[in-house]
Structure formats: C-alpha cells, structure tokens
C-alpha cells in the first residue's frame, strides 16, 4: 500500500513528540518500512503562540531532519495540529498552519464541554478564511458508539474527520471507528505517533484491520481522500444518520 500518515509528531525537540534526532530517525525509518511515502508533520500549535515563530521552528526542525537523516525516509509535509481556542479564527494568516499547499487544517478540539464557540470558530475558519478543518482523532472524544450523540453536531458540520490508527487496534475502540464508517464520517487516517516505544506508528497494521473489518472499498476511499487532500482537491462528505 502507498500510505500517507496525516498526523505525526516526528520532528525533534519541537513538542511532546520526538525529543531528539535519533528518536525522529526511529519513527521515520519505521514509517518508511511500513510503506508510508509521505508524513504530514503536525507538531502542536498551542494557544496564543505566534504563528510566525511556530512556522520558523517547525521548518528549522524539518531541515534538521533532512540534513541529519537523509533521503531514505518518507517525504515530510509541513503542517500543524492546531489547538482550537476562542478567538483563534481572528488571528492573522491561520492558513500558514495548513497542510502545505492546501487549505486543509488539522484542528484539535478541547476535551472540556463543547460550548457554542467551538462551532462558531470552525464556521469562521471556513467562511472567513476559506479553510477546511479536519478534526484530529475524533475517536478519542467518545467511549462507545452510543456516545456518538456527543459529536453529532460536529459530524453534521462542514468538517472532515481524522481517526487515529490506535483506535483500530483494540476491539472496544474499533467499534467506534466502525460507527464512524457506517455514517460516512471517517475521512483520513493518522498514526499520531510521538515516540518509538508506547506511541509508535502502526499505520500499516491499522490499514490491514480496516480492510478486514470494514472492507476494501472503505480502505480505498480513505486512501483516495488522502491523495485528494495533498492535491488540495475538494472532498464531499454527507453523513448517514
């Protein structure tokens, strides 16, 4: 399989992901061995951080990886995992945090109770800035398929959904992913890897589980969605209730 990892903390010393160049090497070599051709590097962009400072630090980390590790690793695509907070949509040039070359932006929602400001911020990112939010690891916000009502309003809004590979590796959380897929709410897959020990990349294993549990068509659609995102093509999603 020709895979793309849409959520990865592989850049050294920039967030709670890889802490040094050797850890980055282990993660990236593992991803290459799994057939991953491109890694969307998504270090955490935190509340009220200067976008310019973040981009400069991220890009410097990417250059360090390319210089120290070489070319026998997947392509690294600059992006961010953006912490959503009240007023974020009022910042200038949030598009600099998008997946490079696209208007798609990976958004991490707060784990607190979701007030109306969250939906307004997501709307403003779309309406004011013409960005397409991708909600990171939506699977982490619910514990059973019954809890889908907790995210119904998110699922019905104009956002895309990224699921963590780890959600497919246990029977309990796999049922949540199956519920997403049945509702046509599973857009792309990411490893959310942070290190080579307890938060490693297991994307290829997750893809095999998708093929076995959800079917070849679902896997192909997820892979196709990834290609569309990197080409900045539109993805149309209609949730099935």
């Amino acid at each position: 399989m020709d895979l793309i990892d849409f959520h990865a903390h592989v850049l050294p010393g920039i967030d709670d992901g890889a802490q040094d160049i050797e850890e980055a090497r282990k993660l990236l070599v593992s991803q290459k061995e799994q057939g991953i051709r491109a890694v969307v590097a998504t270090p955490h962009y935190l509340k009220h951080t200067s976008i310019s400072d973040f981009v400069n630090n991220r890009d410097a980390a990417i250059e360090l990886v390319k210089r120290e590790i070489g070319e026998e690793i997947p392509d690294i695509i600059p992006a961010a995992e953006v912490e959503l907070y009240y007023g974020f949509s009022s910042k200038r040039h949030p598009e600099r945090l998008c997946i490079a070359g696209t208007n798609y932006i990976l958004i991490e929602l707060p784990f607190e109770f979701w007030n109306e400001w969250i939906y307004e911020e997501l709307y403003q990112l779309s309406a004011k800035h013409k960005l397409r939010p991708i909600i990171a690891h939506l699977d982490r916000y619910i514990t059973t398929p019954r809890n889908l009502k907790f995210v119904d309003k998110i699922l019905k809004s104009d956002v895309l959904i990224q699921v963590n590979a780890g959600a497919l590796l246990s029977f309990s959380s796999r049922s949540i992913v199956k519920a997403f897929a049945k509702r046509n709410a599973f857009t792309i897959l990411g490893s959310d890897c942070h290190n080579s020990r307890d938060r490693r990349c297991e994307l290829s294993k997750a893809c095999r589980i998708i093929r076995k549990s959800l079917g070849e068509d679902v896997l192909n659609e997820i892979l196709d969605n990834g290609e569309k995102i990197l080409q900045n093509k539109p993805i149309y999603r209609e949730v099935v209730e």
Side-chain angles (χ1 to χ4, degrees), residues 18-205:
Q19 293 303 293
D20 54 39
I21 195 67
E22 288 309 311
E23 188 67 15
R25 185 193 308 274
K26 291 176 183 177
L27 286 170
L28 289 161
V29 168
S30 172
Q31 288 167 317
K32 185 75 170 182
E33 291 172 346
Q34 292 181 50
I36 296 170
R37 70 169 178 83
V39 173
V40 180
T42 55
H44 291 286
Y45 170 84
L46 300 177
K47 186 176 182 179
H48 303 320
T49 303
S50 160
I51 291 179
S52 292
D53 288 349
F54 173 86
V55 169
N56 289 339
N57 291 336
R58 180 200 63 196
D59 292 352
I62 292 174
E63 288 305 312
L64 174 65
V65 166
K66 291 179 178 178
R67 184 172 66 250
E68 295 295 325
I69 301 179
E71 297 182 356
E72 294 304 312
I73 56 174
D75 292 335
I76 299 177
I77 300 169
E81 181 181 5
V82 178
E83 177 188 18
L84 190 67
Y85 58 87
Y86 180 75
F88 171 72
S89 64
S90 297
K91 290 186 76 75
R92 296 181 63 188
H93 304 301
E95 71 278 359
R96 296 183 68 191
L97 301 173
C98 287
I99 298 171
T102 82
N103 68 342
Y104 290 97
I105 186 168
L106 186 68
I107 297 291
E108 182 175 41
L109 300 179
F111 281 88
E112 64 199 38
F113 182 75
W114 291 357
N115 293 310
E116 285 300 314
W117 69 262
I118 290 178
Y119 308 104
E120 180 62 23
E121 288 292 329
L122 292 172
Y123 171 77
Q124 289 298 330
L125 287 175
S126 299
K128 180 180 177 181
H129 296 286
K130 311 303 180 186
L131 305 184
R132 188 77 188 274
I134 302 172
I135 305 303
H137 48 59
L138 191 64
D139 50 276
R140 288 175 57 183
Y141 298 92
I142 56 178
T143 56
T144 68
R146 187 177 301 174
N147 293 144
L148 276 175
K149 61 183 180 181
F150 181 63
V151 296
D152 268 346
K153 195 168 181 178
I154 287 290
L155 293 175
K156 292 175 183 176
S157 59
D158 188 27
V159 300
L160 302 178
I161 306 302
Q162 178 257 311
V163 169
N164 275 2
L168 289 142
L169 303 185
S170 72
F171 288 110
S172 58
S173 56
R174 194 179 304 168
S175 63
I176 296 168
V177 179
K178 287 182 178 180
F180 281 162
K182 287 179 180 179
R183 298 181 68 174
N184 197 28
F186 182 173
T187 311
I188 55 171
L189 188 66
S191 71
D192 199 7
C193 63
H194 282 63
N195 58 58
S196 59
R197 301 175 302 281
D198 56 335
R199 299 191 68 180
R200 56 190 177 272
C201 177
E202 298 191 90
L203 205 70
S204 60
K205 185 176 180 179

Side-chain angles (χ1 to χ4, degrees), residues 1-5 30-39 74 165 168-169 186 189 201-213 215-224 227:
M1 290 180 289
D2 194 16
L3 305 179
I4 303 166
D5 188 348
S30 172
Q31 288 167 317
K32 185 75 170 182
E33 291 172 346
Q34 292 181 50
I36 296 170
R37 70 169 178 83
V39 173
L168 289 142
L169 303 185
F186 182 173
L189 188 66
C201 177
E202 298 191 90
L203 205 70
S204 60
K205 185 176 180 179
C207 286
R208 291 194 295 272
I209 293 172
I210 292 171
R211 177 184 285 120
K212 182 178 180 179
S213 300
E216 189 80 29
D217 289 344
V218 172
L219 177 59
N220 288 338
E221 182 176 5
I222 292 167
L223 299 180
D224 185 57
E227 296 293 343

